[in-house]
Amino acid sequence: MALKEHWTAFANPATLVQSSVLQIACQYDNRYIISQLSTEQIQAAWCNRFVNVGVSYMHFGYKHYGEHMAGITFAHDFGGRFTLGLQGTFYAAYMGEELRFKSTFLPQIGMTVNATPRITIGVHVFNPFQQRLRGDMVDKPLPSVYQVGMHWHIGQDFHWLMQLEQEVHSQLRVATGGEWQAVKQLRVRLGAAWHDYFIGFVGARLTLATLDVDTNVEVHPILGLCVQARLSWHL
């Protein structure tokens, strides 16, 4: 959330400040080894000294219910002191043959501040106005999420991250973890989160020239595994 090395769509838009001119990425998430609980995502970003622009699309669901989000992101780095980002997200949900599609527009706002040469603070708000999906026979609440995080670049090969996340209708989620540059091409990460339950995660990033391969596995004590895989090209 405060880590600016890799922008992730629908997260903090202020992290869209990569050094590469063009980035294309695709991502797949699966919850608890259930095919109906899978998310597919694709994004592209163009960075320059005036304004960084990103576009993204995400799909979650199956035949009888699905959620779609399409976003456009703008971000700018103000002299290395802080960055600001804005994202407009079109959200649509398919609710079966009778109700069909319902849609709305959601804003996202983000900021990162370089508190010291080694510490970055990030703030991100998703759906700050608590908009709902409304229509005939539909009144669906949508998540309204407030996040604050810290990225501490402890040494040349080690990063530490912390994040607090509050969805207005849920309990506070606390997460922390570290990332270690084991060798030039490989980073490994380990961390944990608390949100009703203790959840551990482990992941790795393999860099092959202009291609990054990311994997992450979370372990829920009751529901099981959540698996994430991501491919990123930096041009």
Side-chain angles (χ1 to χ4, degrees), residues 4-181:
K4 297 187 288 185
E5 295 182 1
H6 290 273
W7 170 61
T8 300
F10 309 105
N12 189 350
T15 59
L16 179 53
V17 288
Q18 283 76 43
S19 57
S20 54
V21 174
L22 180 64
Q23 179 204 86
I24 301 172
C26 57
Q27 182 172 310
Y28 175 80
D29 296 5
N30 178 263
R31 302 178 190 175
Y32 319 125
I33 320 299
I34 300 173
S35 60
Q36 290 87 347
L37 299 180
S38 295
T39 301
E40 303 86 27
Q41 181 173 302
I42 188 169
Q43 64 183 57
W46 177 55
C47 297
N48 60 82
R49 63 190 182 92
F50 301 108
V51 62
N52 304 322
V53 182
V55 292
S56 50
Y57 170 77
M58 185 181 75
H59 169 258
F60 166 81
Y62 57 104
K63 180 179 179 180
H64 301 293
Y65 177 82
E67 297 180 359
H68 304 259
M69 290 202 296
I72 182 166
T73 305
F74 300 96
H76 183 69
D77 186 342
F78 291 85
R81 296 183 298 274
F82 65 95
T83 65
L84 290 176
L86 299 172
Q87 178 166 317
T89 299
F90 176 77
Y91 172 89
Y94 177 76
M95 300 182 175
E97 289 293 332
E98 183 177 353
L99 297 177
R100 305 295 292 176
F101 280 97
K102 306 297 179 182
S103 62
T104 189
F105 179 83
L106 305 173
Q108 291 179 242
I109 306 168
M111 182 179 185
T112 67
V113 178
N114 294 324
T116 74
R118 291 186 175 272
I119 296 178
T120 301
I121 305 297
V123 178
H124 171 229
V125 183
F126 177 87
N127 187 21
F129 307 117
Q130 301 184 34
Q131 291 173 243
R132 306 170 69 94
L133 195 62
R134 300 181 187 273
D136 296 339
M137 298 184 292
V138 174
D139 187 7
K140 173 182 169 65
L142 299 175
S144 184
V145 183
Y146 296 80
Q147 298 173 318
V148 60
M150 181 193 72
H151 169 213
W152 183 13
H153 192 175
I154 296 177
Q156 183 176 359
D157 299 326
F158 191 75
H159 303 254
W160 191 265
L161 298 104
M162 297 183 65
Q163 179 173 306
L164 302 177
E165 177 181 305
Q166 179 67 69
E167 201 282 321
V168 294
H169 301 295
S170 301
Q171 292 185 358
L172 178 70
R173 181 180 185 270
V174 181
T176 186
E179 186 174 83
W180 173 51
Q181 186 90 43

Side-chain angles (χ1 to χ4, degrees), residues 202-233:
V202 61
R205 175 186 300 158
L206 179 64
T207 299
L208 303 170
T210 60
L211 174 66
D212 287 341
V213 182
D214 267 282
T215 59
N216 197 69
V217 178
E218 293 185 1
V219 183
H220 192 285
I222 297 176
L223 299 176
L225 298 179
C226 296
V227 181
Q228 179 186 94
R230 173 186 169 107
L231 297 176
S232 304
W233 290 267

